Amino acid sequence: MLWVDFLNSEWHDWRGSGRYEDRLDQPAVVEQLLKEHGLPSIPSPGAEEMAELKLLRFAMREMVKAIVRGQEPELEALELLNRMMARGPVIRRIVRTDERFRLEQTAERADWAHTMAEIAASFARTLAEGETSRIRICDNPDCKWIYYDDTRNRSKRYCDDKACGNLLKVRRFRARQKASKEHPST
Ligand SMILES: [Zn+2]
């Protein structure tokens, strides 16, 4: 999902070193994000566009945090999504292919206003049509990775069971071991 990849451009070292990278500042990462999601290739964002992108990301992350806590997202954040979407109108066309109809969507113009509208729309679509209860933040507090849990029994607690899942399992094991050494009777 576009919005998930966009939010995870804020990278935190899941191993707990405290290292943080803002990957929106890496032009190659941004280029790859656009390409992977079929968005038109456009020049790197300027200072003003970058500030808007980060504001959008901040607002969306706050919404995710509220949803994960079982709270309502702020109205202001919804309004920001609407403002971003209004700035990137699209043209829809229905085309007939051999077998069926296909709905195509193109940007009125390819620029950052359109790209931000697409990012906001991708999140808005999940809010409206997806299941907000599947929106998650990795249970590893150092990781903060955001994902959409599409497992059947909604049981995915970590971004990656092999990485964060294992790390936390080892930590819990060590904590139990330490506790039993300090209190041998238990
Ligand atoms: Zn994680």
Side-chain angles (χ1 to χ4, degrees):
M1 286 182 189
L2 171 60
W3 70 267
V4 170
D5 291 342
F6 174 66
L7 289 188
N8 287 327
S9 60
E10 277 197 291
W11 180 86
H12 298 265
D13 185 5
W14 56 276
R15 294 177 197 86
S17 70
R19 249 177 68 223
Y20 166 78
E21 266 176 31
D22 189 341
R23 294 184 165 165
L24 274 186
D25 295 327
Q26 299 173 17
V29 172
V30 174
E31 222 170 275
Q32 184 62 23
L33 180 79
L34 301 184
K35 201 171 146 201
E36 255 168 42
H37 293 279
L39 291 167
S41 166
I42 48 177
S44 290
E48 207 173 301
E49 287 153 343
M50 185 57 94
E52 282 180 345
L53 271 168
K54 290 188 180 181
L55 176 69
L56 176 63
R57 186 179 61 184
F58 173 78
M60 283 166 57
R61 255 192 186 266
E62 288 301 303
M63 290 172 89
V64 165
K65 282 192 220 161
I67 289 165
V68 166
R69 285 195 299 257
Q71 293 166 346
E72 281 293 308
E74 301 269 342
L75 254 169
E76 263 174 67
L78 281 181
E79 276 161 17
L80 180 72
L81 289 185
N82 282 335
R83 268 205 315 280
M84 294 282 179
M85 288 191 286
R87 284 168 42 202
V90 292
I91 299 158
R92 278 176 242 276
R93 284 181 71 230
I94 184 137
V95 288
R96 181 78 183 171
T97 57
D98 297 344
E99 298 276 319
R100 53 192 202 96
F101 292 108
R102 200 174 67 238
L103 190 60
E104 284 181 352
Q105 187 177 303
T106 50
E108 219 171 67
R109 39 176 210 281
D111 57 14
W112 279 101
H114 165 254
T115 302
M116 283 187 250
E118 287 297 311
I119 294 168
S122 141
F123 188 49
R125 210 171 291 124
T126 296
L127 294 183
E129 296 164 8
E131 290 174 71
T132 52
S133 61
R134 290 184 183 274
I135 296 174
R136 300 258 196 289
I137 301 174
C138 179
D139 260 11
N140 173 4
D142 291 317
C143 175
K144 301 180 174 69
W145 195 264
I146 287 167
Y147 58 95
Y148 188 81
D149 179 7
D150 50 15
T151 60
R152 252 179 65 171
N153 54 0
R154 305 156 181 268
S155 58
K156 198 167 149 62
R157 289 179 52 206
Y158 302 101
C159 64
D160 183 338
D161 282 335
K162 287 194 190 75
C164 288
N166 264 337
L167 183 83
L168 281 247
K169 215 188 317 179
V170 170
R171 266 189 208 161
R172 278 196 302 272
F173 175 74
R174 289 204 183 124
R176 271 202 309 276
Q177 214 178 18
K178 194 167 167 249
S180 71
K181 267 184 203 154
E182 282 163 8
H183 310 279
S185 58
T186 53

